[in-house]
Amino acid sequence: MLRFENLYFRWPNTIQDTLTQLSIKITAGEQVALVGDNGAGKSTLLRLAAGLLQPRQGQVQLNGDLISKLSATQRATQIGILFQEVEKQVFHSSVKQEIAFGLKRLKISKQEMNQRIADALEICHLEDVADHHPLDLNAGQKRMVAVACLSAVRPKILLLDEPSRDFDTLWLTRFENWLAVQKDIGCAVLAISHDLDFVARNFQRVLHLSAGKLIADGSPEKILCHADLQPDSLLPAPTLYSLSHALNIQLENTPEHWANNFARLNQRDQR
Ligand SMILES: Nc1ncnc2c1ncn2[C@@H]1O[C@H](COP(=O)(O)OP(=O)(O)OP(=O)(O)O)[C@@H](O)[C@H]1O
C-alpha cells in the first residue's frame, strides 16, 4: 500500500539530511504508530507520505504508483490527512458544509453524498452540531469535524499527526472507537503520537524514528517496553507496561485484560 524506499530528505538551506536511508512498507489495513523524540523527523515523513514534500533521494509509492505522479485529486481521494492544528483545515461556515466540501470532488450522486454526510456525523457524534460553525465548537468537537471530513471521503490510508491531542476522555473514547472502525473497514493508518498509552491501546505496529533514522519496528509490546531495542531514546513505557513489568505479570494493552491478569495474580498469591 504505502512504501518508502531508501528515502533521504533534506530541508532547503540546511546541511544535514533530516531523514536518512528509510525503507518502510505499510500494508493495506495496517495501523501503524510513528514515535520518537521532538525533531526526529516524524512530521517530515508524514508530509512525504502525503506527497506534500519530495525526497532528495529514494521513492514514496502508494499502491505501486509514485506519489509524485499522482494528481492532487487522486491524492485527496486516496489519502486522508489530519494535521496537528485542525483550524488550518477547516474553512466552511457549518459542520455539514465542511464535510460536503471534501466529497464534491468524488463525483458521487447527491443521495450518496447526503448518506455519507449523515454517516460521518453519526460516527463522529456531531449530529447535534451539524449546522454550527466548526470554529464555534469546543476543541474536541473541532478536531472531530476534521475527522468526520476524512471519514466521509473513505480514503485508503489515513495520515494522522498527533490525533489524540485536544481530546478529553469522552472525545478520546469516541475517536478511538472511530479508529477501531477504520481498522474493521481495512483502512491503513500511519499516526504520529507522543502519547504512548494511546499508542499501546490502538496500534498493532510501532515505528521508532530517532534523528531521521528508523531504529525500531515492531509490536507495541516489543518497541515500547525494551530499552535495549531503542538505544538512542528515553521513551517511557506505557503505564500498563510499566505496571506489568513492576509486578511481573503478563503484558496487556487494554485495562480490562490487564485487570484480569492482575486479579489472577492476586488469587494465586492468596492461595
Ligand atoms: N520547514 C522547515 N525548514 C527547515 N527545517 C525544518 C522545517 N520543518 C522542520 N524542520 C526541521 O526538520 C527536523 C525534523 O522536524 P519534524 O517536525 O519532522 O520532527 P518531529 O519528529 O515531527 O518533531 P515534533 O515531535 O517536535 O513534532 C527538525 O530539525 C526541524 O527543525
Side-chain angles (χ1 to χ4, degrees), residues 11 18 37-44 84 194:
W11 284 101
T18 300
D37 304 334
N38 289 134
K42 303 179 297 298
S43 298
T44 305
Q84 277 194 37
H194 288 287

Side-chain angles (χ1 to χ4, degrees), residues 11 13 69 85 88-89 97 101 105 134 141 157 182 195 211 217 219 235 249 262 269:
W11 284 101
N13 307 319
K69 299 273 185 254
E85 285 132 14
K88 289 188 182 157
Q89 59 187 116
Q97 283 172 22
F101 176 72
R105 58 171 109 206
Q141 288 172 317
I157 183 160
Q182 302 316 299
D195 179 346
D217 176 355
S219 67
L235 284 181
I249 61 174
F262 186 59
D269 285 352

Side-chain angles (χ1 to χ4, degrees), residues 156-220:
K156 299 266 184 301
I157 183 160
L158 292 161
L159 304 174
L160 313 175
D161 198 347
E162 286 285 343
S164 58
R165 205 179 117 156
D166 293 339
F167 284 134
D168 63 16
T169 311
L170 174 68
W171 284 97
L172 183 60
T173 305
R174 289 173 168 176
F175 175 70
E176 292 189 7
N177 289 340
W178 177 82
L179 262 186
V181 171
Q182 302 316 299
K183 182 168 187 276
D184 290 345
I185 62 177
C187 181
V189 177
L190 176 62
I192 295 174
S193 186
H194 288 287
D195 179 346
L196 301 184
D197 286 302
F198 168 76
V199 169
R201 280 197 304 273
N202 296 285
F203 294 87
Q204 292 75 54
R205 180 177 167 201
V206 179
L207 305 175
H208 185 184
L209 210 59
S210 178
K213 291 196 180 77
L214 186 67
I215 60 164
D217 176 355
S219 67

